[in-house]
Amino acid sequence: MIQEQTYLKVADNSGGKVVKCIKVLNGTNKKYANIGEIIKVVVKTANFKSKIKKSQVLKAMIIRSKTGIKRLDGTIIKFNDNSVILLNNNEQIISTRVFGIILRELKNEKFAKLISLSNEII
């Protein structure tokens, strides 16, 4: 579960390295976000020459969390880190590659491109 003030790793090649959650979207008093939800983040560290700059405010989608997710067959999948991919304000993916494992639950009409960008799907 991700809440405000949580530091997250960026798992794509957009240029950001570490971001901080500043708002959980899709609810008026929603406190926690889980895998597949969209949050508002601020970039804390970024690569030297990239289009993503430090202190830039963007949207992001959570792709991995330490608390994990429970599937319909009863298995619970947990990860070692909290990771996001960065989105622009129109909720389109900025990057061209995604690093690490991605869950198949993230595939929906809006983010069908995400599955083709990653190399490992669970």
Side-chain angles (χ1 to χ4, degrees):
M1 292 185 292
I2 307 299
Q3 61 184 353
E4 291 181 10
Q5 307 295 319
T6 303
Y7 282 85
L8 306 138
K9 291 182 182 179
V10 179
D12 59 15
N13 65 346
S14 60
K17 290 182 181 178
V18 177
V19 295
K20 180 175 150 183
C21 176
I22 56 173
K23 183 68 178 166
V24 177
L25 300 178
N26 298 334
T28 54
N29 278 336
K30 194 167 183 180
K31 293 184 180 180
Y32 304 110
N34 209 345
I35 295 174
E37 296 185 26
I38 297 175
I39 58 174
K40 199 79 134 161
V41 296
V42 62
V43 178
K44 289 297 183 179
T45 60
N47 288 337
F48 181 63
K49 290 184 178 180
S50 67
K51 54 187 172 183
I52 304 297
K53 302 297 180 196
K54 186 177 175 181
S55 72
Q56 188 175 357
V57 177
L58 298 166
K59 289 184 180 179
M61 186 173 77
I62 303 169
I63 59 170
R64 291 190 290 268
S65 72
K66 287 188 176 183
T67 56
I69 192 168
K70 187 174 183 179
R71 290 195 168 158
L72 295 176
D73 62 353
T75 58
I76 298 173
I77 299 173
K78 295 182 179 183
F79 297 98
N80 292 333
D81 61 345
N82 298 322
S83 298
V84 296
I85 56 167
L86 297 178
L87 309 172
N88 60 10
N89 289 329
N90 297 330
E91 296 183 0
Q92 300 295 320
I93 299 172
I94 296 174
S95 65
T96 57
R97 282 178 51 194
V98 176
F99 305 115
I101 299 171
I102 296 211
L103 294 175
R104 66 173 174 251
E105 283 87 3
L106 297 177
K107 183 181 178 183
N108 57 19
E109 303 94 24
K110 201 170 201 180
F111 297 106
K113 181 183 173 186
L114 178 64
I115 300 298
S116 65
L117 295 179
S118 69
N119 54 358
E120 295 181 47
I121 300 169
I122 292 182

